[in-house]
Amino acid sequence: MNKKTVKDIDVQGKRALVRVDFNVPLSSKDPADTITVTDDTRIMAALPTLNYLLENGAALILCSHLGRPKSPEDTHLRMDPVAARLSDILGRPVTKLDEVVGESVTAAVADMQPGDIILLENTRFEAGEKKNNPELAQALADLADIFVGDAFGTAHRAHASTEGAAKAIQAKGGAAVAGFLLGKEIDALGRAISAPPKPYVAIMGGAKISDKIQVIDNLLAIADRVLIGGGMANTFFKAQGLEIGTSLCEDEAVPQAKKLMEEFGDQIFLPVDVRVADGFAADANYKDVAINEIPADMMALDIGPATIEAFAGLLSDAKLVIWNGPMGVTEFPAFANGTEGIGKMLAGQVDSGTEVIIGGGDSAAAVKKLGLAEKMSHVSTGGGASLELLEGKPLPGIVVLDDK
Ligand code: ADP
Ligand code: MG
């Protein structure tokens, strides 16, 4: 994916409409409270792009969605706390407007000078946002000279403030480019689906195989090996006629798992042992058993030690690893061993030159909790978007951007 970034265009004196991901957690849902941002990770993540644009003489019109408002009446989802935090971080004024588009916005934008920063109201206060309404997209485009897309988490949806506004700015001759955050995602995940370094090993885990069967299918065509752990391994066990006890399993997906095993059997690697528990609970009794010894009244909640070792062997020569989905129920410490073992092993591989990319919301949270996130080559910020990209689907918010 050869997309232009802010570095490839002239931003001096330009008004830039920057679609960021400021969908941050807030301290309260009660509009009567003083609402603050409780985790500013996503605001911090946008800084490289914002600082670059400011240092190079652009004026910034920032926009983002925040939560899932049904209408502007959901006043607890106004962008004011975000503007306050951003202003604190940057040490300069951020003008928060109370509309997404409209007279107040047009007037404020008309007076903008390089270095000025405006934050528009929550884009999802507009009913046209998720419908990619052309009038809303045009009204946003009318505000600016260039479009900068930096919200990977919404890149798989064509919304008015993502794909729509980018197209409308291009239609009037303006550039539509990626910010640094989106550029990093495009580089890392793009490599995982086209011309990856080899050996290329994918690790798939998590709960639901139905969410990821397309990803597995697509990866089997590109990756040398696909290692399967987590809850989805049970569906493969069942497809092989193994007893899985009370383990999570998607019976509807058994035929698909069977088909994948038949077609790609030599590329798919399943656990050889699992940690079984007598209930889905942090304090459940557990033991490690071979996969042909799962008791009828127990459930597999993690991969076992022999599997960690086997997977480590299958990963040891990899040049590129993409990992999506935890190896077990990491919410319970007793069943986080598999994820921790694989995570530590991969962190070590990065030191010796292997590129390791983590995709998926729960996977990202798990490596963060283990203190391994910084060690990985790339931890994707977009759960749904990274999955769709790995499925081989074009992401409208990326496709629309100017090619290099
Ligand atoms: P991601 O968000 O990284 O794509 P998923 O949402 O697919 O990952 O899966 C994460 C969930 O899978 C976690 O809530 C975890 O508890 C669950 N999970 C992992 N292994 C098992 C298992 N063996 N049985 C039941 N649930 C599991
Ligand atoms: Mg998830």
Side-chain angles (χ1 to χ4, degrees):
M1 273 172 293
N2 229 358
K3 293 295 180 182
K4 282 190 183 167
T5 75
V6 284
K7 280 209 166 153
D8 297 312
I9 59 166
D10 180 18
V11 304
Q12 174 66 46
K14 301 270 167 62
R15 279 173 308 180
L17 178 68
V18 190
R19 178 42 159 111
V20 284
D21 179 1
F22 283 168
N23 184 26
V24 292
L26 299 172
S27 60
S28 168
K29 288 186 170 131
D30 183 351
D33 289 342
T34 305
I35 302 178
T36 55
V37 174
T38 53
D39 178 354
D40 62 10
T41 307
R42 286 184 169 161
I43 301 177
M44 299 303 289
L47 293 184
T49 301
L50 304 188
N51 283 328
Y52 177 87
L53 290 168
L54 290 168
E55 281 159 19
N56 287 279
L60 306 186
I61 304 158
L62 309 179
C63 65
S64 174
H65 75 281
L66 176 58
R68 295 178 177 174
K70 284 182 203 75
S71 77
E73 250 102 275
D74 287 332
T75 53
H76 65 286
L77 292 173
R78 286 183 176 163
M79 298 297 286
D80 299 69
V82 178
R85 179 60 67 92
L86 179 64
S87 177
D88 279 350
I89 295 169
L90 290 173
R92 53 206 291 170
V94 172
T95 307
K96 153 72 185 27
L97 301 179
D98 293 334
E99 294 184 296
V100 181
V101 293
E103 274 174 35
S104 68
V105 179
T106 310
V109 163
D111 291 335
M112 283 186 104
Q113 301 299 318
D116 286 353
I117 307 168
I118 280 175
L119 176 61
L120 303 178
E121 189 49 277
N122 190 341
T123 54
R124 289 195 188 164
F125 279 5
E126 287 286 336
E129 163 71 340
K130 285 169 86 171
K131 295 183 188 135
N132 200 3
N133 173 285
E135 283 84 44
L136 176 58
Q138 187 60 52
L140 285 166
D142 286 344
L143 304 173
D145 308 304
I146 60 173
F147 177 89
V148 178
D150 216 12
F152 180 64
T154 49
H156 57 316
R157 304 279 176 258
H159 290 167
S161 71
T162 59
E163 201 246 12
K167 250 189 191 149
I169 283 191
Q170 287 165 330
K172 62 176 192 175
V177 300
F180 295 124
L181 202 55
L182 187 62
K184 255 190 356 208
E185 296 275 7
I186 295 175
D187 278 352
L189 293 166
R191 245 190 323 281
I193 53 166
S194 60
K198 300 236 162 187
Y200 172 17
V201 184
I203 312 171
M204 297 297 297
K208 286 174 72 190
I209 187 174
S210 53
D211 285 349
K212 298 186 179 176
I213 197 97
Q214 268 324 309
V215 179
I216 298 174
D217 203 43
N218 198 45
L219 287 176
L220 280 164
I222 327 167
D224 299 286
R225 297 164 210 142
V226 177
L227 319 185
I228 293 177
M232 69 164 66
N234 303 326
T235 305
F236 283 89
F237 295 154
K238 189 150 194 184
Q240 293 176 310
L242 290 164
E243 166 71 64
I244 59 165
T246 54
S247 304
L248 174 86
C249 176
E250 285 176 85
D251 288 327
E252 327 75 69
V254 168
Q256 279 170 305
K258 214 175 220 161
K259 193 163 159 275
L260 284 177
M261 291 297 293
E262 280 161 16
E263 214 173 319
F264 301 100
D266 54 340
Q267 265 175 281
I268 297 178
F269 296 87
L270 293 170
V272 293
D273 63 345
V274 286
R275 177 161 287 191
V276 290
D278 62 0
F280 191 86
D283 60 355
N285 297 305
Y286 62 83
K287 59 180 177 178
D288 298 326
V289 298
I291 49 144
N292 57 357
E293 290 169 353
I294 300 177
D297 58 352
M298 295 185 93
M299 57 177 75
L301 294 187
D302 197 3
I303 57 174
T307 303
I308 299 176
E309 214 174 296
F311 281 7
L314 291 160
L315 288 161
S316 61
D317 65 343
K319 290 274 178 300
L320 173 67
V321 177
I322 173 110
W323 182 6
N324 180 285
M327 296 291 95
V329 182
T330 53
E331 293 91 334
F332 305 147
F335 307 104
N337 276 14
T339 305
E340 183 168 7
I342 300 294
K344 283 194 171 144
M345 142 94 198
L346 290 176
Q349 300 246 122
V350 174
D351 290 335
S352 49
T354 304
E355 187 172 348
V356 179
I357 299 167
I358 313 292
D362 291 285
S363 316
V367 293
K368 250 183 227 154
K369 208 166 105 189
L370 292 166
L372 297 171
E374 307 301 321
K375 301 227 168 86
M376 303 300 172
S377 315
H378 181 73
V379 181
S380 178
T381 54
S386 66
L387 276 184
E388 290 199 16
L389 201 109
L390 294 174
E391 275 173 48
K393 285 189 190 159
L395 307 192
I398 294 175
V399 171
V400 68
L401 302 176
D402 296 347
D403 289 318
K404 260 191 189 153

